[in-house]
Amino acid sequence: MTEPPAHESPRAVFRRTLARVLAVQIVSLALLGLLQIVYG
Amino acid sequence: MHPVNWAIVVVYLLWVVIDGIRKSKGTDTISGYFIADKSLAWWVVGLSVMATQLSAVTMIGTTGQGATDGLRFVQLYFGLPLAMVILGVTLVPLLHGSGVYTAYEYLERRFDAKTRSLTAFLFLLSRGMSCGTIIAAPGVVLSAIFGIPLAWSVALIGVPTVLYTMVGGVQAVAWADVKQMVLIVVALLSIVVVLVLQMPVSPHDALEIAGATGRLQTFDFSFNLDDTYTFWSGVIGGTFLMLSYFGTDQSQVQRYLTARSVNEAKSSLLMSAYWKIPLQALVLLVGVGVFVYYQFVRPPLLYNPAHEEVVLAEAGATYDDLQQRYATAFTLRETAALEVAAAEAEPSADAAMQTFLAREADIQEIRGEALALAEEVTGEPSRDVNYIIPRFVLSELPIGLAGLFIAGVIAAAMSSISSELNSLATTSVIDFYRRWVRPEATDTHYLAVSKGATALWGTFACIVATYAATLGSLIEVVNRFGSFFYGSILGVFLLAMMPRARGTGAFIGLIIGMASVAAVTFGAPSISFLWHNVIGAVVVVFVGLLFGGLGSDETAPAPEA
């Protein structure tokens, strides 16, 4: 895991982490959504 | 079960216990025993967090739910990633940085002793009972599958877990969790490989059949407070549930208190944020795969072998009649499923699919009659869904893999139980014994008491598990009571981060929050439990701030992270 730069504010850390986590979730949910659309 | 499979289970059990006891080195202080001297790497803690949450119920119950209900259960976890990110910037730095052993200890520093003691007591009450049910769930299934007394299967799971947890403390628990998590994932992936290799139709056709029966419906965007498995229940209610569980439940808080630094503690939770939904989808897809496989290989009419035996003995003629109808209906459905696979994009595809769905409805009707008969004859709920995967594993998996899966089920149970026992002992000793009985004693003394507390909680959990059937209604009451305060305790921790809040306000808020959830539970029982957490947390924060000025405590505002 990459350590955040020392000067980053807690709010910036939160935003950056949230963006990364959400990006991964969007890919997971898109795959599940694709299954539902194609075969459901 | 084949001796090779049993050998795998025995080797796994011996390995976990011996390795756990080896990990007892360096646990001669309470800091080592309870929080591993804050020495563990983020990935160890992260796997421990995931293993604690993933219990045997996930391995046998959730996979079974995938087979009967499809993927929609995964929506329950939609709030988890957001909850983990929020915790990473709020409670994790607060708790890790304050040098506490338990989450409740922090509440005394921030508020007062009564708030700490009440929240710690509620945790002990709820987790003490749930620990028994966590052993009981796989214990009952293994007992029925292998035809052994329940006490034996409870002992098979409980005794090794108590041993390594008692001797090795949190280090043994965390390192065992790592191995157990790897074993669980390997076991699940093995089933996926076997299903792909043994499936009589192509993956595309298998997905067509799963989709036609609604098993691939993940998303439900309706806003319905009564339904647990909708997108909005998962995102909103699920976020509050996960905030409560990972942020305030000692069985999880203690995992990340062992991390080397605040950043490593945050990273450990982010592992769940990234992987929980894909893992849960994999668990459910295993169930969906088994459902499709059973379109072509006839499964038993009743999956629970113990119930099947009783029904055959006491209502043999009726059951034989059902079996004959089932055999005919199965053959017709199998033919229809093969026609669906053969039709592909031909004009006859729609007609083939309609015939298949009609045959599937026939099978469900016969199965429904068999389940009703089983419930009538045995006088207990069938819970047949929990036996689908174990029966599949034992009859369809090759020798060795079946043993691996059974070891995986036991590992999933042990990883949850060990963390719970460890946290129950920590809370008993730190929040009650050291706080109220012997505040000034040596580490040697506290260590001895902690090991005794682990053994006592373990024994209690095994007794509850053994008598789970007769204690059923009591356990239900305690579990229901548990849902009254989960969100309310989250509310107290949210108040702890608000400078205006004071101890008496938080305490009054906690009482009123629990009462509000109780009122909703009994007044509007159809509302899903996911929303109870939202209601509890919001009421506690509102009341706590309303009574913000009350209390003699001159507590400083929440410390900076």
Side-chain angles (χ1 to χ4, degrees), chain B residues 299-316:
Chain B
L301 181 53
L302 286 174
Y303 290 101
N304 182 340
H307 278 192
E308 193 172 36
E309 201 176 313
V310 178
V311 170
L312 272 170
E314 295 190 21

Side-chain angles (χ1 to χ4, degrees), chain A residues 12-36:
Chain A
V13 174
F14 174 76
R15 281 191 191 146
R16 184 169 48 80
T17 314
L18 185 62
R20 272 190 203 167
V21 168
L22 289 183
V24 174
Q25 299 321 310
I26 286 168
V27 173
S28 307
L29 299 189
L31 287 172
L32 289 170
L34 204 63
L35 271 183
Q36 180 168 331

